[in-house]
Amino acid sequence: PMLRGTLKHREIQSMYPDYVSEFEVALDRGHYLLVGHIDMLDLPGRRVIEIKPFNMKDSYYRQLSAYVVMLRTLTGLNFDGEFLLYYQDKLVRAKSVFIDTTVLDMFDELVRAGVEKVKGEYCEGCQLKLKCDSRVRWKGKEAELVREKDVTSFFSK
C-alpha cells in the first residue's frame, strides 16, 4: 500500500508535466557524495520545488536549502526554492524567502563524525523511502541530529 504522501506527490507532479519530477542531484563534497531527490525541478525557471503538507516544519527549509545550494554549486546558476503546499484538495505555492547557504557545512560535520546517511521528518512521504537505509534522523524541529535508535519512539508517536 502506498503512503498518502506518495500518492499526493504523484498527483501533484502529474499536474506539472513541464517540470522534471524526482530529480536526483549529487554533489561531490570531497570525501563523500551528497545525494538528494528533488520533488520537482523547473529548469527554465531555475526553481527547486518541494511538495509538502501545509504544516511547515523547519526541516523542510533545510531540505530545500540543501537542494538549492547543491544546484547553485553544480551549475553556477542562481537557482531558487519554492514550496508547493497541500491541504486536502487545496494547493498553495510559496516561494521560500530564506535559503540557508550554510546547510551543507552541517553534512560535512556529520561525515567527519562518521555518519553516512541522513534522514529527516520529510522522508515519510518520499517515494524512494523503501530503497533508503538512512540511519540518522532530524530530531524534531531542531538542527541537532541523533542516531535513529535514539529517536525510534519519538517518531512512532
Side-chain angles (χ1 to χ4, degrees):
M2 280 191 180
L3 294 168
R4 245 187 343 223
T6 301
L7 289 172
K8 197 68 177 173
H9 269 67
R10 289 193 177 156
E11 174 189 329
I12 293 169
Q13 287 166 333
S14 71
M15 296 165 58
Y16 297 90
D18 293 342
Y19 295 165
V20 181
S21 293
E22 296 305 323
F23 182 84
E24 183 175 273
V25 60
L27 179 64
D28 184 347
R29 295 294 289 168
H31 299 293
Y32 70 102
L33 187 67
L34 182 59
V35 179
H37 297 90
I38 297 170
D39 290 340
M40 291 192 308
L41 185 61
D42 171 10
L43 282 171
R46 295 183 186 153
R47 279 181 305 156
V48 171
I49 302 165
E50 281 299 296
I51 302 167
K52 299 293 175 201
F54 201 76
N55 57 332
M56 286 299 292
K57 297 179 179 170
D58 293 346
S59 59
Y60 298 167
Y61 288 101
R62 287 192 292 270
Q63 180 188 21
L64 183 68
S65 292
Y67 293 157
V68 168
V69 173
M70 289 170 77
L71 283 174
R72 286 177 181 175
T73 304
L74 287 165
T75 65
L77 300 172
N78 191 23
F79 275 85
D80 213 343
E82 181 177 297
F83 292 103
L84 245 175
L85 305 173
Y86 63 86
Y87 177 73
Q88 295 173 354
D89 290 331
K90 294 179 178 65
L91 276 182
V92 176
R93 292 184 81 130
K95 184 175 187 217
S96 181
V97 293
F98 177 73
I99 298 294
D100 179 1
T101 57
T102 67
V103 71
L104 300 188
D105 298 337
M106 181 218 40
F107 291 109
D108 295 342
E109 290 174 26
L110 287 169
V111 169
R112 280 195 292 275
V115 173
E116 293 175 5
K117 297 197 180 266
V118 178
K119 184 171 185 175
E121 299 167 79
Y122 46 80
C123 294
E124 291 308 310
C126 181
Q127 296 178 29
L128 303 167
K129 181 182 175 189
L130 296 176
K131 299 177 188 172
C132 187
D133 65 345
S134 298
R135 293 182 290 274
V136 176
R137 295 185 182 211
W138 292 110
K139 183 176 181 182
K141 294 183 179 180
E142 302 164 14
E144 174 193 359
L145 285 161
V146 292
R147 298 208 176 271
E148 186 166 348
K149 64 178 167 42
D150 298 332
V151 292
T152 306
S153 61
F154 178 87
F155 279 92
S156 59
K157 287 178 185 174

